[in-house]
Amino acid sequence: MQWRNSPSRYGLVSLFLHWGSALVVFGLFGLGLWMRELDYYDSWYHRAPEIHKGIGILLLIALFLRLLWRFVSPPPPAPASHGQLTRQATRLGHLALYVLLFAAMIAGYLISTAEGKPISVFGWFDVPATLSGLPDQADVAGVIHLYLAWALVVLAVLHALAALKHHFIDRDATLTRMLGRAAK
């Protein structure tokens, strides 16, 4: 299998970034919901948010790499069987996923830096607090982060259902290309 995308399939880098991002998004979502239920005296009360923040920053870096990779190795064109409406829905759906990802991460950053402290990413490096001290910053950003995370997960599930619809009902190559197989 090739590293770069071809006209008939996605390459290894795109596959890794796509499926890795999906796994991390759903993992962060589950971790975030679990963290909200922790009691102050729970041993994970402080540790889980640090893990959540560190993984979130790494996901942000991966998202930038993913966007850069789209320019270096453009994705294969839509299958010929896709009509104009399907192509437009695909573009808008992908754009919405990227916007929601970035917006959720920005909201998470604003929660984490509300007190002016940097975000430590597993002790490897720190992300400075460039915007802090806004009125109720952590609370407002927290509510926004929660709603954006739910919207992102719902849209990702719809995205997966659309891929399954293309595979099992339309019988086109949409899903098989994202699994690294060439379109027939």
Side-chain angles (χ1 to χ4, degrees):
M1 170 167 280
Q2 72 257 3
W3 289 94
R4 296 173 59 104
N5 299 330
S6 73
S8 63
R9 74 172 108 186
Y10 289 91
L12 282 174
V13 173
S14 293
L15 294 175
F16 175 76
L17 290 170
H18 177 269
W19 294 108
S21 295
L23 183 65
V24 170
V25 164
F26 281 97
L28 284 173
F29 183 73
L31 178 59
L33 291 179
W34 177 69
M35 286 182 336
R36 291 172 48 89
E37 302 302 318
L38 292 175
D39 180 80
Y40 179 79
Y41 297 103
D42 192 297
S43 63
W44 284 95
Y45 184 80
H46 293 289
R47 198 170 357 160
E50 296 305 315
I51 292 169
H52 187 86
K53 290 184 249 183
I55 294 172
I57 295 294
L58 294 177
L59 179 61
L60 179 62
I61 293 167
L63 189 56
F64 279 117
L65 291 174
R66 188 172 175 179
L67 287 172
L68 177 65
W69 186 251
R70 286 181 67 91
F71 290 104
V72 171
S73 182
S81 62
H82 288 192
Q84 190 60 31
L85 183 62
T86 301
R87 291 169 194 257
Q88 189 65 16
T90 300
R91 277 191 291 277
L92 289 174
H94 285 123
L95 177 63
L97 284 167
Y98 280 113
V99 168
L100 285 171
L101 272 166
F102 275 118
M105 288 186 226
I106 291 168
Y109 171 81
L110 291 173
I111 297 166
S112 302
T113 59
E115 295 178 3
K117 297 177 186 165
I119 301 169
S120 175
V121 181
F122 304 113
W124 300 335
F125 61 92
D126 288 341
V127 176
T130 58
L131 181 61
S132 61
L134 298 173
D136 300 318
Q137 179 174 330
D139 293 335
V140 172
V143 170
I144 293 169
H145 186 68
L146 177 64
Y147 284 116
L148 288 171
W150 272 105
L152 177 61
V153 166
V154 167
L155 187 57
V157 167
L158 291 173
H159 176 69
L161 290 173
L164 292 172
K165 179 244 182 214
H166 280 285
H167 186 74
F168 291 109
I169 296 172
D170 299 342
R171 302 215 182 268
D172 65 29
T174 301
L175 181 58
T176 55
R177 293 183 326 161
M178 190 42 79
L179 293 173
R181 297 189 201 123
K184 295 178 180 164

